[in-house]
Amino acid sequence: MAKLARMISAVSLWMSRAGGAMLLLAAVLISFEILTRKLLHLPFNVGTELSTYALAVGATWSFAYALLQRAHVRIDVLQKLLPPAVRSALDLAAMLSLATVALVLAWHIAGTLATSISLGARENTPLATPLALPQGLWLVGMIWFALVAVEQSVRVLLAFAAGDHAGVARLSAAAGVEEELDEALDDVARRLGRTG
Amino acid sequence: MVQTSLLLLLALLGLSLPVAAALMILALGLDQIFTPIPLYLAIGEIVWSASSNFLLVSVPLFVLLGEILLRSGIADRLYGSMSHWLGWLPGGLMHANIGASMAFAATSGSSVATAATIGTVATPLLDRYRYGERLFLGSLAAGGTLGILIPPSINLIIYGWLTETSVPQLYLAGFLPGLALGLIFMATIALACRIVPAWRGVAPPSDWASRLASLPGLISPFLIFVIVIGSIYAGFATPTESAALGVVAALVLAAFHKRLSVPMLVQAIDGTMRTTGMIMLIVVAAWFLNFVLSAIGLVNALNDFITGLGLGPGGMLLAVIVFYLVLGCFMEPLPMMIVTVPVLTPVVVQAGFDPVWFGILIVLLCETAMITPPVGVNLFVVQGVRRHGSIQDVMLGVLPFIASLLIMIGLIVVQPDLVLWLPRVLGGP
């Protein structure tokens, strides 16, 4: 169980970093194009298109990381006032609702991808990118997010079924996860033979 | 229909479901209740169109820009310079907090980044000069909110996207209110220190030589500002392209200050993606919800509903402002904006208000939402960089600045030209 959790946080973290790297590269590419357009009058323009893929892919690839960081905001003002049992039930509902939405999104995104593939849809741009390419990567992120949300729901559900309200609260707050993530980071750093 | 939708939304949010999940479930539910057509079949297409929108690329880029600037070392020098220039005022470094926030806001599109950056530099100085601690913390939380009013601004970009309003126009409109609000914050500090002299603290030592010597500290933020904002009005960059230029410029500056390294970049990326994941999931859900809402004709229904109340434009505006002030106590500003703006803006514009002006009003209400307890993101940020004591200190210290924001909101309602004059004179692309 602990091993699975470590694996999940490490994969989520590195997918999110890959997404961030895409966005950073998009910024560099766009800036480069503006300069060449201005100074050399070379009308390059692929950065606009590629950056939109970086946004779509980077976003879904960061969803699982944001979930593990408990960054998907909830309005818990009312919830805090309730007795522990109800609070736990709402924590569980929150996680289950996120998992459900992730599954619904992944299902429909898969449908969109299937349509793009069957039509051989290409972007109407100089690159004529086959849409299936960015949409495929986009779907990968969404599926991973759905899997992690389901896994997290199972953990909350187990704690809830055991009547462990403190456990549910801990799983639903950010702190425990951060520790896990630190561990995962140390682990990865060790394996890569680096420090920090 | 209006009542059902609103009640469902409040119930789902009140149950503390994640905002994105609440929006998506509401959309699917309304689709079930109000339409014979299965709108959910379009989810994939709609989510793709929002996810791959070029204007929205600027949102993570501005978050990244803020994360890099936070770690680039420009804030120390900027703050040093501001403390030399503004420290002699009654309230000393608290004015530097506001001044530095204003300058940083002109490089950053995020209020969280502004409060975190200036807060990190300023809080260690709190004890040395014996200021009223609460007011000092309040000035940091409030000053930080200027991040989204003074361009560039993530919130103005999202508003522009949601309402199809020109982002360059919105940027121009944010300038004067941004300056005015900064000055009102400073006046609030001076007034508070006049009433309670114990809060005044000691002015940090300064003279003209050190003031002049500190000026280079303003060059870095000024350069970023010129690149990000200048490139738009010089006509060679769109708002998204200007964000990309800003990111590259911030990297160059960080390298110049010898702060650029792989661990620093990784930290900046992690922070960026955490925020991006949060925002984009809500954006995607809200975009589908908007599609459902327009399909079931909710905006028209809301229009009829409000007209039926017989409030008149003034009464309606007051109701909208009160609605946001209350909602802002419990909701993060960006989710609050994304949920409400697409539905309310058409109604407000129909009543004769200018969409650019309304955008600035919404941003001012978002700023208020950032510092109104119990949920205010900037309160948490300032408490986070302070790392001791209770968050109640920040919540109490920020109260005078909430009053300042209400005054500012009143000013632009009474005098819309404060917002609209600059875009009218300068036009803009």
Side-chain angles (χ1 to χ4, degrees):
Chain A
M1 193 84 175
K3 212 170 167 185
L4 179 71
R6 266 207 305 280
M7 193 273 287
I8 286 179
S9 14
V11 172
S12 303
L13 177 66
W14 285 96
M15 281 177 78
S16 153
R17 285 183 177 171
M22 286 180 220
L23 284 163
L24 183 63
L25 287 178
V28 173
L29 179 61
I30 291 174
S31 302
F32 174 76
E33 285 184 354
I34 295 171
L35 292 182
T36 51
R37 203 163 70 204
K38 241 9 230 181
L39 302 175
L40 306 173
H41 304 286
L42 288 176
F44 269 125
N45 200 356
V46 295
T48 305
E49 183 186 349
L50 291 180
S51 71
T52 62
Y53 303 149
L55 175 67
V57 176
T60 61
W61 285 31
S62 70
F63 285 165
Y65 173 64
L67 171 65
L68 292 175
Q69 296 269 305
R70 296 298 180 262
H72 294 301
V73 285
R74 299 167 58 190
I75 302 167
D76 54 3
V77 182
L78 284 178
Q79 193 220 6
K80 277 185 193 154
L81 306 173
L82 299 167
V86 187
R87 223 162 27 195
S88 299
L90 289 178
D91 279 337
L92 178 62
M95 197 55 85
L96 285 174
S97 70
L98 212 49
T100 311
V101 165
L103 286 169
V104 169
L105 283 172
W107 178 261
H108 286 283
I109 286 175
T112 306
L113 175 65
T115 314
S116 295
I117 292 175
S118 69
L119 296 177
R122 281 171 185 275
E123 201 67 89
N124 183 20
T125 55
L127 288 180
T129 316
L131 263 179
L133 211 69
Q135 287 182 344
L137 292 171
W138 182 52
L139 175 64
V140 168
M142 207 61 194
I143 289 177
W144 179 251
F145 173 50
L147 288 177
V148 175
V150 168
E151 187 262 354
Q152 296 282 306
S153 300
V154 170
R155 277 150 136 294
V156 178
L157 186 65
L158 288 178
F160 184 76
D164 177 9
H165 298 313
V168 172
R170 203 170 48 244
L171 279 170
S172 304
V177 182
E178 267 170 23
E179 280 162 28
E180 260 171 34
L181 210 70
D182 285 342
E183 278 172 32
L185 275 175
D186 291 344
D187 199 43
V188 171
R190 255 200 315 281
R191 253 179 287 157
L192 292 177
R194 278 198 253 125
T195 48
Chain B
M1 182 195 288
V2 174
Q3 289 96 324
T4 317
S5 310
L6 191 64
L7 281 178
L8 269 176
L9 176 66
L10 292 180
L12 291 169
L13 292 176
L15 285 175
S16 80
L17 297 190
V19 173
L23 298 185
M24 204 68 203
I25 291 169
L26 176 65
L28 293 171
L30 293 178
D31 179 16
Q32 281 294 318
I33 303 172
F34 291 111
T35 57
I37 327 149
L39 297 173
Y40 65 84
L41 291 176
I43 288 181
E45 286 303 320
I46 286 172
V47 168
W48 174 254
S49 77
S51 303
S52 60
N53 179 293
F54 185 56
L55 183 58
L56 290 182
V57 174
S58 63
V59 173
L61 294 187
F62 273 125
V63 178
L64 182 60
L65 171 61
E67 293 275 346
I68 295 172
L69 287 179
L70 171 66
R71 296 172 173 83
S72 67
I74 75 163
D76 318 24
R77 291 153 212 257
L78 165 64
Y79 193 84
S81 178
M82 284 295 171
S83 68
H84 280 299
W85 285 93
L86 301 173
W88 56 273
L89 290 161
L93 286 184
M94 288 186 264
H95 296 285
N97 293 348
I98 303 294
S101 295
M102 287 167 77
F104 194 81
T107 68
S108 154
S110 144
S111 285
V112 170
T114 307
T117 310
I118 305 303
T120 312
V121 186
T123 39
L125 302 171
L126 178 58
D127 295 328
R128 196 185 307 167
Y129 297 106
R130 299 198 300 281
Y131 295 108
E133 186 176 25
R134 288 175 174 165
L135 192 66
F136 191 91
L137 297 169
S139 71
L140 287 171
T145 68
L146 290 166
I148 57 169
L149 181 58
I150 297 176
S153 161
I154 290 175
N155 293 53
L156 285 177
I157 288 171
I158 299 234
Y159 178 87
W161 172 64
L162 289 170
T163 63
E164 293 176 6
T165 309
S166 146
V167 173
Q169 288 275 331
L170 287 165
Y171 276 5
L172 280 177
F175 263 110
L176 288 180
L179 284 177
L181 184 58
L183 293 176
I184 294 178
F185 282 157
M186 288 194 193
T188 308
I189 293 167
L191 188 69
C193 289
R194 175 141 187 108
I195 298 170
V196 186
W199 291 347
R200 272 182 96 129
V202 187
S206 186
D207 52 50
W208 280 101
S210 44
R211 268 174 210 155
L212 291 177
S214 76
L215 278 181
L218 298 176
I219 293 177
S220 302
F222 185 70
L223 275 178
I224 302 260
F225 173 73
V226 167
I227 289 170
V228 174
I229 300 300
S231 63
I232 296 178
Y233 297 101
F236 67 86
T238 63
T240 304
E241 290 173 340
S242 81
L245 287 171
V247 168
V248 172
L251 287 174
V252 172
L253 273 179
F256 180 75
H257 291 310
K258 301 204 169 37
R259 297 287 182 94
L260 188 63
S261 66
V262 173
M264 177 270 208
L265 259 186
V266 169
Q267 272 183 19
I269 284 182
D270 284 349
T272 304
M273 297 315 281
R274 189 178 179 279
T275 310
T276 303
M278 183 273 281
I279 297 177
M280 285 306 292
L281 191 58
I282 295 175
V283 159
V284 156
W287 198 237
F288 178 63
L289 175 61
N290 290 338
F291 170 72
V292 172
L293 291 182
S294 54
I296 66 176
L298 187 101
V299 172
N300 286 335
L302 183 66
N303 223 336
D304 295 343
F305 178 75
I306 290 183
T307 320
L309 294 177
L311 288 169
M316 188 195 76
L317 192 65
L318 189 67
V320 167
I321 291 174
V322 171
F323 169 74
Y324 276 104
L325 289 176
V326 174
L327 205 59
C329 291
F330 306 103
M331 245 181 127
E332 303 279 353
L334 211 49
M336 173 175 89
M337 234 185 87
I338 299 171
V339 175
T340 55
V341 155
V343 185
L344 276 181
T345 308
V347 179
V348 171
V349 170
Q350 182 97 15
F353 295 98
D354 186 284
V356 171
W357 175 84
F358 188 60
I360 301 301
L361 176 67
I362 289 286
V363 165
L364 282 169
L365 289 163
C366 283
E367 290 187 72
T368 317
M370 282 171 179
I371 54 173
T372 40
V375 180
V377 62
N378 271 19
L379 305 175
F380 303 144
V381 169
V382 169
Q383 177 62 23
V385 296
R386 177 186 176 217
R387 286 177 191 282
H388 67 88
S390 156
I391 192 162
Q392 280 189 352
D393 295 329
V394 193
M395 290 180 174
L396 288 171
V398 89
L399 291 179
F401 300 101
I402 295 178
S404 320
L405 267 162
L406 294 180
I407 291 172
M408 188 66 215
I409 289 169
L411 273 179
I412 72 157
V413 170
V414 177
Q415 191 48 266
D417 266 354
L418 191 58
V419 176
L420 294 174
W421 179 73
L422 204 58
R424 194 166 58 230
V425 174
L426 293 183

